[in-house]
């Protein structure tokens, strides 16, 4: 298959001061298709090519594959055994360079220190096993809304196994998700000014197609293009954050799409949006809580507490000093995660808060306080998702920030690191109005909580 030429009209505008080079279509090509999909047969290639070259398809920014061998496909389809996993996990972690000086003092889980995102930012390699199979490694970037991007070593088989977790979560709801040659298996949707987009083949799911799509109107210049493409592909399952899933409530999409389920993640899903999506599509809406660093942790299928998943994940709720809070009380969610063999984390502080409760005999997280799907009101009346601000803050070198919009629409930003003038100019262009930027020296100067915040009190946000 050859890559689809990018129409000149869809290339980044050289006069656009907010355009970022990393989102230029086809900006980096590192692998051949044979390396991306080692087992892809003629039928699978034809399905993939049909999506990539569809007349209503967007300009694909990236080209990526799961890189699974035939043996890897078989392994990825089966969940890892969980019996005795924690003891084995701690034995592996004791050998990590990060714990070399204190390994002799480490016993059962409570004796281990907690670690934070900053520890990984300082030296993520210290948390990678020395005997790890680096031939299976791909580099993932976790920026979220936290600021400075974290490069994470991902394992190709573990990434594929996470897809099959979604299949299992649907089966738990009585929905059988099987490959359908006539439909795209999975659409991962975002809604932001610039984003990586691509289409791919899921080798471990009958070589069904999937795509990462940016639903932002600027990416679909032709009238009806976005709706037409989605209706043509009829994705069986759609996943995204609340901002992007809300776009699915457009009447034309509601009238024509027939998803088996919707998955939400990355930000807090409001009960109102959940109910609207359930009414619109008559299918399960499953909210998954997790981080790139830890992988999926828990899920809520009904808007209630997030039930801890039956996989290699152990959850604690701790106080600021690292001690356990009394049962049922609120504290920081701390996760020991053993799904990714390239990053075996022990007692990782998520920066999120909640209460550990019991749901039908299973541990669950209630009153989860995580990342909010904040939007900002631009001067022209449009709503700008916080992820668009994140991109410009990161491009300006900020490591942490707080951005707040008042009732009157005025916007102020406090940043740690980076070029305050550049950031102010970029945010001002994005929102169509002046943005006041103040610089502070450390993340602690942003106040208690996570080193990033978005708040908007403007009407309609």
């Amino acid at each position: 298959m050859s890559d689809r030429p990018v129409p000149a009209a869809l290339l980044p505008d050289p006069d656009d001061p907010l355009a970022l080079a990393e989102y230029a279509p086809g900006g980096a090509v590192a692998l051949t298709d044979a390396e991306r999909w080692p087992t892809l047969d003629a039928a699978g290639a034809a399905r993939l090519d049909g999506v990539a070259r569809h007349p209503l398809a967007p300009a694909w920014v990236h080209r990526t594959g799961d890189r699974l061998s035939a043996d890897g496909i078989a392994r990825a389809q089966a969940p890892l055994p969980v019996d005795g996993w924690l003891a084995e996990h701690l034995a592996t972690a004791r050998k990590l360079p990060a714990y070399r000086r204190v390994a002799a003092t480490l016993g059962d889980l409570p004796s281990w220190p907690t670690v934070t995102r900053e520890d990984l930012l300082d030296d993520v390699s210290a948390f990678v096993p020395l005997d790890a199979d680096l031939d299976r490694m791909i580099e993932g970037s976790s920026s979220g809304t936290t600021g400075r991007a974290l490069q994470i070593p991902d394992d190709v088989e573990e990434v594929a196994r996470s897809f099959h977790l979604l299949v299992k979560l649907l089966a738990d709801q009585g929905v059988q998700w099987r490959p359908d040659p006539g439909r795209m298996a999975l659409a991962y949707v975002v809604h932001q000014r610039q984003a990586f987009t691509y289409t791919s083949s899921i080798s471990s799911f009958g070589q069904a197609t999937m795509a990462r799509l940016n639903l932002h109107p600027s990416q679909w210049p032709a009238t009806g293009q976005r709706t037409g493409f989605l209706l043509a592909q009829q994705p069986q399952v759609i996943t995204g954050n609340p901002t992007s899933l809300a776009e699915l409530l457009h009447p034309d999409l509601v009238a024509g799409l027939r998803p088996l389920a919707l998955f939400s993640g990355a930000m807090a899903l409001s009960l109102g949006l959940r109910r609207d999506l359930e009414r619109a599509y008559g299918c399960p809406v499953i909210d998954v809580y997790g981080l790139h660093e830890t992988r999926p942790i828990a899920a809520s299928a009904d808007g209630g507490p997030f039930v801890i998943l039956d996989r290699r994940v152990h959850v604690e709720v701790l106080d600021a000093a690292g001690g356990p809070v009394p049962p049922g009380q609120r504290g920081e969610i701390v996760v020991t995660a053993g799904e990714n063999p390239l990053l075996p984390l022990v007692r990782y502080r998520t920066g999120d808060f909640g209460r550990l409760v019991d749901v039908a005999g299973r541990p669950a997280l209630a009153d989860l306080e995580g990342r909010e799907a904040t939007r900002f009101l631009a001067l022209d009346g449009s709503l700008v998702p916080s992820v668009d601000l994140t991109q410009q803050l990161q491009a300006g070198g900020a490591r942490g920030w707080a951005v707040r919009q008042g009732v009157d629409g005025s916007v102020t930003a406090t940043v740690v690191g980076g070029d305050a003038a550049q950031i102010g100019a970029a945010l001002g262009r994005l929102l169509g109005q002046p943005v006041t930027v103040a610089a502070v020296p450390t993340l602690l100067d942003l106040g208690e909580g996570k080193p990033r915040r978005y708040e908007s009190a403007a009407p309609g946000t």
Side-chain angles (χ1 to χ4, degrees):
M1 288 184 299
S2 60
D3 291 339
R4 183 187 186 191
V6 178
L10 296 181
L11 289 170
D13 183 353
D15 298 322
D16 181 359
L18 294 174
L20 301 176
E22 63 187 302
Y23 296 107
V29 178
L31 300 175
T32 66
D33 283 352
E35 292 170 317
R36 294 183 182 105
W37 304 285
T39 66
L40 190 65
D41 60 23
R47 285 192 295 272
L48 179 58
D49 202 49
V51 176
R53 296 176 178 274
H54 192 278
L56 296 178
W60 305 109
V61 173
H62 199 46
R63 193 165 180 83
T64 186
D66 54 37
R67 293 173 45 188
L68 288 179
S69 65
D71 289 343
I73 289 172
R75 288 190 292 266
Q77 290 172 332
L80 295 175
V82 295
D83 289 344
W85 80 268
L86 185 55
E88 179 184 336
H89 180 76
L90 295 182
T92 297
R94 283 189 189 92
K95 302 174 186 176
L96 295 175
Y99 299 104
R100 183 180 295 118
R101 292 185 176 85
V102 296
T105 68
L106 301 175
D108 58 4
L109 188 62
S111 69
W112 288 66
T114 60
V115 295
T116 68
R117 182 184 176 90
E118 289 300 313
D119 293 315
L120 300 186
L121 285 167
D122 287 342
D123 185 7
V124 70
S125 66
F127 294 87
V128 178
L130 296 176
D131 60 352
D133 184 357
L134 300 183
D135 288 339
R136 286 172 28 181
M137 186 185 80
I138 52 177
E139 185 181 64
S141 176
S142 171
S143 56
T145 54
T146 311
R148 182 178 158 201
L150 169 63
Q151 301 305 313
I152 294 176
D154 290 328
D155 178 271
V156 292
E157 291 181 11
E158 190 279 326
V159 171
R161 191 174 292 112
S162 293
F163 168 83
H164 290 280
L165 170 66
L166 302 184
V167 177
K168 180 183 182 302
L169 289 175
L170 277 194
D172 292 343
Q173 298 301 309
V175 178
Q176 298 302 312
W177 182 13
R178 299 185 179 92
D180 181 342
R183 300 179 66 179
M184 177 179 284
L186 178 70
Y188 173 20
V189 296
V190 299
H191 186 274
Q192 53 199 69
R193 194 176 188 275
Q194 299 172 87
F196 287 115
T197 59
Y198 54 83
T199 185
S200 188
S201 175
I202 307 175
S203 301
S204 61
F205 197 64
Q207 298 184 357
T209 59
M210 64 82 62
R212 190 178 198 267
L213 301 169
N214 186 358
L215 300 185
H216 194 281
S218 65
Q219 305 303 301
W220 308 85
T223 301
Q225 180 184 358
R226 184 180 78 168
T227 296
F229 181 76
L230 283 168
L231 294 184
Q233 302 306 321
Q234 281 295 335
Q236 292 176 292
V237 170
I238 304 174
T239 181
N241 64 37
T243 300
S244 54
L245 293 180
E247 292 293 304
L248 301 180
L249 295 175
H250 189 285
D252 290 344
L253 294 177
V254 172
L257 289 179
R258 297 175 285 106
L260 300 176
L262 306 175
F263 283 93
S264 180
M267 301 174 182
L269 175 65
S270 69
L271 188 60
L273 178 56
R274 171 189 283 277
R275 297 295 179 245
D276 287 345
L277 291 169
E278 289 173 338
R279 282 193 293 267
Y281 290 104
C283 69
V285 177
I286 302 176
D287 195 2
V288 178
Y289 169 61
L291 290 74
H292 191 156
E293 303 95 296
T294 65
R295 304 315 202 244
I297 296 167
S300 172
D302 59 4
F306 288 74
V307 177
I308 307 300
L309 299 171
D310 186 18
R311 63 201 317 247
R312 295 185 177 186
V313 59
H314 179 83
V315 175
E316 302 172 87
V317 175
L318 305 181
D319 60 24
V325 301
Q329 290 196 15
R330 182 178 181 274
E332 185 175 0
I333 298 165
V334 176
V335 177
T336 297
E339 290 287 323
N340 181 2
L342 301 181
L343 194 66
L345 293 178
V346 179
R347 307 192 89 194
Y348 184 73
R349 286 187 174 270
T350 66
D352 296 325
F353 294 82
R355 296 185 301 112
L356 199 58
V357 299
D358 181 277
V359 173
R362 295 182 61 181
L365 291 166
D367 302 328
L368 181 62
E369 180 188 333
R371 291 132 289 180
E372 297 297 328
T374 305
R375 299 181 298 179
F376 289 79
L377 182 66
L379 191 63
D380 64 2
S382 63
L383 295 175
V384 179
S386 59
V387 66
D388 285 352
L389 279 68
T390 295
Q391 291 176 346
Q392 302 302 329
L393 286 155
Q394 289 178 166
R399 292 186 290 109
W401 54 77
V403 184
R404 296 183 174 87
Q405 184 169 41
V407 176
D408 62 354
S410 62
V411 179
T412 60
T414 305
V415 300
V416 179
D419 186 331
Q422 176 186 333
I423 290 169
L427 296 184
R429 294 188 190 102
L430 193 61
L431 298 172
Q433 64 180 32
V435 175
T436 302
V437 178
V440 294
T442 70
L443 296 176
L444 291 176
D445 294 305
L446 293 175
E448 295 183 1
K450 295 185 177 184
R452 81 287 195 257
R453 294 165 189 76
Y454 290 111
E455 297 177 8
S456 178
T461 60

